[in-house]
Amino acid sequence: MSNSNRGFMSERRQRFGDWRARRPFLGGSLLLLGSVFMAYVAISYGKDLILVGSSTAFLGLVSSSLVFLTGVFALTKPEFSTMIGYVGGALSIISLMGTLGGLFIGMLLGLIGSNLCIAWESDEVEETNPFDWGPNADSDESDDDGVSGLVSKWR
């Protein structure tokens, strides 16, 4: 490899490392991997279960796709990682009914990933409050009747 390629690859690794440091990378990746196991079991055994008349294959596909989305959201919206972790853990447990949690492997990977998302903290991510919007978002003034905080922002 030439020196220019080494510098380019080093720069790309550095940018990826900086990107990874600002989000729950391992938790989101484990949620994604767990959803793949859940979807594989739902797809491979779904044709057998549909003949019986069971809707568990459909529930397995829905829960695995929702766990996949929580993994994607954990990687793209790290400021909501705690809430995403709770939702991912609940959906991983729900997948137990649909596809036996991806033969328990997908459920365990989803639960570990959701716990890592819940426990993740970083000072580099600025917290965004979804309630800070509207014309009075930047002012901390109270209304005339003394009501302040969230209630005043909804009036």
Side-chain angles (χ1 to χ4, degrees), residues 1 4-15:
M1 266 190 355
S4 64
N5 286 341
R6 285 187 188 149
F8 178 71
M9 292 302 290
S10 173
E11 179 186 334
R12 290 189 80 178
R13 283 190 189 114
Q14 180 65 35
R15 283 191 307 173

Side-chain angles (χ1 to χ4, degrees), residues 95-147:
S95 74
L96 185 64
M97 294 184 297
T99 60
L100 285 179
L103 297 178
F104 295 108
I105 297 170
M107 183 188 69
L108 289 176
L109 288 173
L111 286 175
I112 292 169
S114 65
N115 284 330
L116 288 173
C117 285
I118 292 169
W120 180 79
E121 291 181 359
S122 176
D123 295 334
E124 295 181 17
V125 174
E126 73 176 46
E127 294 288 329
T128 59
N129 188 352
F131 299 111
D132 287 342
W133 58 276
N136 296 330
D138 295 332
S139 65
D140 293 334
E141 299 174 5
S142 300
D143 287 343
D144 293 335
D145 57 355
V147 178

Side-chain angles (χ1 to χ4, degrees), residues 58-74:
F58 178 71
L59 179 64
L61 284 175
V62 169
S63 64
S64 66
S65 61
L66 291 175
V67 170
F68 183 82
L69 286 176
T70 57
V72 169
F73 288 149

